[in-house]
Amino acid sequence: MKKLLCVICSLMICFAVYAQQLPRVKILATGGTIAGKGASADRAAYKAGSLPIRDLISAVPGIEKVAEISGEQISNVGSQDMTVDIWIKLNKRINEIFKNNEADGIVITHGTDTQEETAYFLSLTCRYDLPVVLTGSMRPATAISADGPKNLYDAVTVAASPNSKGRGVMVVFSENIFDGRGVEKISTTHVDAFKSPNSGPLGQVYDGKVVYYMHDLRKANKNTPFDITGLDKLPNVAVAELYADAPSTAIDAYVASGVDGIVVSGLGNGNLNKANVEAVTRAIAKGVTVCRGSRVVSGRVTLFDETDDAKLGTFVADDLSSQKARILLMLGLTQTKDKKTLQDYFFTY
Ligand code: ASP
């Protein structure tokens, strides 16, 4: 009887210790304004990507109560200098961390300029459904009311939450939680800089609480065909933006430079003026894949509206921004050049 009591007691102690264990969150730092440093209390002449990861973590009081934190520096750049090479490195490291059970969730600190692109790239290429959360800041770490520490605290809270599993790659900013597919930077300077123009946020994070309102039903998740393990290069896809009376110079130059694909950031519902219809026809004749996107911030580009895609040889970006359509086309071209399959990708992911 005594022995049995002893065993029960030790089991209870083990359980209590286990129950107290915090989720393990790994922070991968890539740079950005969140790691930015300036000489004055405003944003004047600050330099993004200056502070190392340990400084970012030590500026967040209480973070150690939310999760067991570890950190790694992947790069330290302003995200205007984000590259496909860094994306590939990030993707490899994330898949490795989850494969080796090194963390329960990952937070990526990142500049805001291209944060939505990295989030979508990782949504399509990450092979695990554990939480990956990007965040950043609009004010450098040295500014009055720097927003970085709060965003980082919130991002860690979301990454540590059991409710975040299976929700793909997300962006946390100004207490909002966005899915990596829908989110866009919508302000150049405001602290509340991100929105999902077509679908709204997935939820909110506040006072250490995570509340989800909805699920993203698109399939930009671990099951996409875009397993890039083993690749160290991706097809070269460019974006050509149109405007009133735009000449064909950009498209012709991209074709001459040898791109594999072009997303035309067209007018309204992805419309092209005559000069660019001709340029697209020339591009396709030379084997370049062309997707019709739009420069408009919300809505979708529809097939066969004002433009006859079958005749022109194009397909549409659906509701993706042109910069995100570029990412899907880069990854799509690793699989196929077939237009119907590529179009299906755009309606699915
Ligand atoms: N240029 C900066 C960057 O993207 C802006 C920011 O982080 O807010 O790295």
Side-chain angles (χ1 to χ4, degrees), residues 169-244:
V169 177
M170 296 176 277
V171 166
V172 163
F173 224 91
S174 292
E175 299 194 341
N176 283 308
I177 309 169
F178 301 100
D179 70 275
R181 181 180 187 279
V183 68
E184 304 287 338
K185 186 171 184 181
I186 49 88
S187 172
T188 52
T189 52
H190 283 176
V191 169
D192 193 9
F194 287 86
K195 293 265 176 298
S196 285
N198 282 315
S199 53
L202 293 176
Q204 287 189 351
V205 48
Y206 64 96
D207 298 345
K209 295 183 183 61
V210 179
V211 180
Y212 287 105
Y213 306 127
M214 40 197 220
H215 241 296
D216 176 33
L217 295 179
R218 285 295 190 127
K219 298 196 170 83
N221 58 32
K222 70 181 175 84
N223 299 320
T224 71
F226 313 122
D227 184 351
I228 57 163
T229 323
L231 294 187
D232 53 15
K233 251 191 157 55
L234 293 177
N236 184 359
V237 176
V239 177
E241 177 155 319
L242 300 196
Y243 45 89

Side-chain angles (χ1 to χ4, degrees), residues 32-34 46 48 77-80 110-114 137-138 185:
T33 295
I34 192 166
Y46 82 92
V77 296
S79 74
Q80 57 271 44
H110 194 294
T112 59
D113 290 355
T114 57
S137 76
M138 293 300 285
K185 186 171 184 181

Side-chain angles (χ1 to χ4, degrees), residues 56-286:
L56 306 195
I57 296 172
S58 64
V60 190
I63 200 171
E64 70 293 340
K65 293 192 187 117
V66 179
E68 189 190 312
I69 303 287
S70 58
E72 277 173 40
Q73 196 83 44
I74 297 290
S75 63
N76 211 354
V77 296
S79 74
Q80 57 271 44
D81 287 319
M82 186 48 58
T83 60
V84 173
D85 285 349
I86 300 177
W87 284 348
I88 290 174
K89 183 174 171 190
L90 252 180
N91 169 69
K92 282 204 171 111
R93 187 63 191 118
I94 290 168
N95 286 327
E96 187 180 80
I97 288 168
F98 287 144
K99 185 174 173 214
N100 299 339
N101 188 22
E102 293 174 53
D104 302 304
I106 291 176
V107 166
I108 301 171
T109 55
H110 194 294
T112 59
D113 290 355
T114 57
Q115 186 159 151
E116 73 222 40
E117 293 178 51
T118 303
Y120 187 48
F121 177 81
L122 296 175
S123 300
L124 295 167
T125 56
C126 181
R127 301 289 96 187
Y128 292 82
D129 65 2
L130 293 169
V132 175
V133 181
L134 285 90
T135 197
S137 76
M138 293 300 285
R139 298 184 184 132
T142 44
I144 297 176
S145 250
D147 50 331
K150 171 74 164 84
N151 282 342
L152 185 52
Y153 184 89
D154 287 346
V156 169
T157 305
V158 171
S161 165
N163 293 338
S164 299
K165 201 176 162 218
R167 290 182 174 273
V169 177
M170 296 176 277
V171 166
V172 163
F173 224 91
S174 292
E175 299 194 341
N176 283 308
I177 309 169
F178 301 100
D179 70 275
R181 181 180 187 279
V183 68
E184 304 287 338
K185 186 171 184 181
I186 49 88
S187 172
T188 52
T189 52
H190 283 176
V191 169
D192 193 9
F194 287 86
K195 293 265 176 298
S196 285
N198 282 315
S199 53
L202 293 176
Q204 287 189 351
V205 48
Y206 64 96
D207 298 345
K209 295 183 183 61
V210 179
V211 180
Y212 287 105
Y213 306 127
M214 40 197 220
H215 241 296
D216 176 33
L217 295 179
R218 285 295 190 127
K219 298 196 170 83
N221 58 32
K222 70 181 175 84
N223 299 320
T224 71
F226 313 122
D227 184 351
I228 57 163
T229 323
L231 294 187
D232 53 15
K233 251 191 157 55
L234 293 177
N236 184 359
V237 176
V239 177
E241 177 155 319
L242 300 196
Y243 45 89
D245 208 17
S248 65
T249 323
I251 292 181
D252 290 335
Y254 279 135
V255 173
S257 76
V259 293
D260 303 294
I262 298 176
V263 175
V264 183
S265 192
L267 307 160
N269 191 353
N271 289 315
L272 285 64
N273 61 2
K274 288 188 185 65
N276 281 288
V277 167
E278 284 164 17
V280 165
T281 307
R282 284 193 293 275
I284 291 171
K286 290 204 165 137

